[in-house]
């Protein structure tokens, strides 16, 4: 039996599937946070002014004003999320999970899974979600959608209004709001989604479970080691990966794993054929 055939059998027999999706998956969906060429072409003024040349570096940079910061964030969110069209990958993943209990843990932060029709109560955005915002004061005053703010900034582009007047403020303390991502020590993870994931894991400890890893690398260790440890711990759990090699996995779970020499797009296509 080939690795792909084994993976398909485990998925067919599974009571539940846990999908882990990282930067490799986001890149398949069009968001490459490490591409210097794309960033310099799309955000040349920002690149020159702040000497940042990738989306990842720019997200870590504090701009001179909140208006400029939100104008940049809005361009990103508009380009990569509001104009996002669900891909063939998403269609194949939905087909794969159609009759399964599932949970998605992802570091992609661009709202791809929600925009593709997956149950938002079955998604944990480990690194936040830039379609929501939080107070920048360092106090957790909750999160709320920033979509209308983004639309206001996009509409105002080139129109000449005072961008500072469009900056959203916290309804509780009047501090500026920032996108809900780990840009600084103020980041508050989504504890509700985290709790739902933990309950899902607990409820399926003794069932047949497949962890389907899609584009996870060392930038998202939260999605690697803990999941491998769970597969090791529970007898009926299996692991499918396109990013790791057999020797990267602990000896005692190598027989419980399918390591596929593929990419995310090809893998999802093969698994749904």
């Amino acid at each position: 039996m080939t690795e792909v055939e084994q993976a398909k059998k485990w998925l067919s027999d599974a009571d539940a599937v846990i999908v882990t999706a990282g930067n490799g998956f986001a890149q398949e969906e069009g968001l490459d946070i490490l591409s210097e060429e794309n960033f310099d072409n799309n955000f040349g003024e920002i690149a020159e002014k702040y000497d940042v040349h990738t989306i990842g570096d720019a997200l870590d940079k504090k701009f001179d004003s909140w208006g400029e910061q939100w104008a940049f964030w809005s361009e990103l969110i508009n380009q990569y999320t509001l104009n996002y069209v669900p891909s063939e990958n998403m269609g194949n993943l939905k087909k794969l999970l159609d009759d399964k209990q599932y949970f998605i843990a992802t570091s992609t932060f661009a709202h791809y899974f929600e925009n593709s029709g997956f149950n938002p109560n079955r998604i944990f955005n480990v690194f936040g979600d830039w379609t929501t915002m939080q107070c920048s004061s360092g106090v957790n005053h909750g999160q709320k959608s920033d979509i209308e703010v983004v639309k206001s900034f996009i509409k105002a582009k080139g129109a000449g209004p005072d961008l500072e007047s469009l900056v959203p403020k916290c309804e509780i303390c009047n501090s500026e709001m920032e996108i809900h991502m780990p840009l600084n020590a103020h980041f508050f993870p989504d504890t509700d989604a985290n709790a739902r994931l933990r309950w899902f894991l607990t409820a399926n400890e003794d069932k047949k479970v497949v962890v389907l890893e899609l584009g996870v690398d060392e930038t998202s260790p939260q999605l690697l080691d803990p999941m491998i440890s769970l597969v090791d711990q529970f007898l009926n759990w299996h692991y499918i990966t396109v990013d790791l090699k057999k020797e990267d996995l602990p000896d005692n779970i190598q027989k419980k794993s399918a390591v596929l020499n593929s990419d995310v797009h090809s893998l999802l296509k093969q698994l749904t054929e």
Side-chain angles (χ1 to χ4, degrees), residues 20-38:
T20 58
N23 287 336
F25 190 91
Q27 188 173 345
E28 290 268 359
E29 297 306 294
L31 175 56
D32 186 349
I33 67 169
L34 301 178
S35 172
E36 295 186 7
E37 181 179 359
N38 287 345

Side-chain angles (χ1 to χ4, degrees), residues 8 29 77 89 102 128 136 152 171 184 186 212 230 250 253:
K8 291 176 76 170
E29 297 306 294
I77 296 167
N89 289 341
Y102 69 86
S136 66
S152 295
E171 296 175 353
N184 49 51
H186 300 165
L212 178 61
L230 288 172
I253 73 162

Side-chain angles (χ1 to χ4, degrees), residues 124-125 127-136 138-147 170-172 177-181 186-193 196:
F124 176 34
N125 292 295
F127 290 168
D129 178 342
W130 66 13
T131 69
T132 59
M133 55 186 177
Q134 64 177 24
C135 180
S136 66
V139 179
N140 189 0
H141 289 152
Q143 290 88 42
K144 61 183 298 184
S145 172
D146 63 19
I147 296 302
C170 176
E171 296 175 353
I172 297 176
M177 300 290 279
E178 60 189 7
I179 54 174
H180 182 227
M181 289 182 63
H186 300 165
F187 177 66
F188 296 98
D190 187 339
T191 53
D192 289 341
R196 289 194 293 270

